[in-house]
Amino acid sequence: EVQLVESGGGLGQPGGSLRVSCAASGFAFSTYSINWVRQAPGKGLEWISYINDDSSTMYYADSVKGRFTVSRDNARSSLYLQMNSLRAEDTAMYYCTRGRTSGSPQYFDYWGQGALVIVSS
Amino acid sequence: EIVLTQSPGTLSLSPGERATLSCRASQSVSSNYLAWYQQKPGQAPRLLINGASSRATGVPDNFSGSGSGTDFTLSISRLEPEDFAVYYCQQYGRSPPTFGQGTKVEIK
């Protein structure tokens, strides 16, 4: 069974940093690209980041470019999102999603349950 | 970026009725790379349709997708109680991938 389980997040201060992790199981993690999608409270979905299978290619939404960094550890079947220079508008549920189609952009066939990030002083 | 506009915002229907949801793109979606997702309260989205019309694994056949170019439709032939949820379309034909704002299907 494919599973994506996010952890981390929580409460962060404006200008501060947080890291969200995603542990994958039930599929060959090292052969799939992974994306982060976020959802602000009561709002719609926003794609924010893509990383390919071997970490050679990453893409970011303009809203997080230069502040967020995605990385992965294929040996640990894990994905990370380092979030710096946090802003109030980064408050959202962050979903780790498995991407389909070669390259980017992709659609997302499996989603984690999400990690909540709240940015507030 | 491609802007997706979903209509209506809310659809009030009774169980057993047919639901028709629309997703219109600001420019043509190449190769009909259009997906649909279902999201229930407190849950992550679930993939229903990719490639405009291909049902994902385990999705019942009362869900169907159609359309091409800039106009796409998700149809639910007979609404079951578990089908009342929010539905999002997403294009993956051009970077960045973008989502519509969602259509809520609620019990009338």
Side-chain angles (χ1 to χ4, degrees):
Chain A
E1 178 192 6
V2 172
Q3 283 198 313
L4 298 164
V5 180
E6 297 91 341
S7 60
L11 179 63
Q13 298 221 339
S17 299
L18 283 173
R19 188 173 89 155
V20 180
S21 302
C22 173
S25 61
F27 66 102
F29 179 76
S30 64
T31 66
Y32 283 86
S33 300
I34 306 292
N35 296 256
W36 288 99
V37 175
R38 71 182 180 183
Q39 185 172 36
K43 303 297 184 182
L45 302 166
E46 179 190 18
W47 169 85
I48 59 169
S49 180
Y50 160 95
I51 185 168
N52 74 337
D53 54 358
D54 66 1
S55 303
S56 60
T57 302
M58 285 84 82
Y59 298 119
Y60 299 93
D62 288 345
S63 57
V64 305
K65 196 176 296 181
R67 301 188 299 120
F68 290 12
T69 302
V70 61
S71 62
R72 64 191 294 164
D73 183 342
N74 284 346
R76 296 177 183 270
S77 295
S78 293
L79 182 79
Y80 308 100
L81 184 68
Q82 178 66 41
M83 301 180 288
N84 298 332
S85 303
L86 286 167
R87 304 169 180 169
E89 55 264 35
D90 295 322
T91 294
M93 186 72 80
Y94 285 75
Y95 294 104
C96 166
T97 71
R98 192 176 80 167
R100 299 306 302 272
T101 75
S102 58
S104 178
Q106 301 183 305
Y107 68 92
F108 316 115
D109 65 348
Y110 286 94
W111 298 60
Q113 86 288 351
L116 183 60
V117 170
I118 299 172
V119 182
S120 175
S121 54
Chain B
E1 68 179 44
I2 295 179
V3 176
L4 299 179
T5 302
Q6 293 186 239
S7 60
T10 302
L11 199 51
S12 299
L13 294 168
S14 300
E17 290 193 293
R18 180 182 183 87
T20 302
L21 287 66
S22 173
C23 176
R24 179 162 291 177
S26 60
Q27 52 191 287
S28 184
V29 177
S30 64
S31 303
N32 293 333
Y33 281 169
L34 194 288
W36 289 93
Y37 302 87
Q38 175 193 66
Q39 187 176 33
K40 298 179 182 179
Q43 297 185 16
R46 168 198 178 198
L47 175 68
L48 297 176
I49 301 284
N50 64 274
S53 60
S54 297
R55 273 190 303 275
T57 303
V59 174
D61 60 8
N62 61 314
F63 287 89
S64 63
S66 63
S68 63
T70 61
D71 290 301
F72 299 88
T73 299
L74 176 70
S75 297
I76 311 171
S77 59
R78 293 172 313 279
L79 282 164
E80 302 287 347
E82 61 268 24
D83 299 333
F84 291 91
V86 179
Y87 293 84
Y88 295 94
C89 58
Q90 179 234 335
Q91 68 80 23
Y92 52 103
R94 179 175 296 185
S95 288
T98 51
F99 293 87
Q101 83 281 14
T103 289
K104 181 179 182 179
V105 179
E106 66 175 21
I107 299 177
K108 186 174 182 179

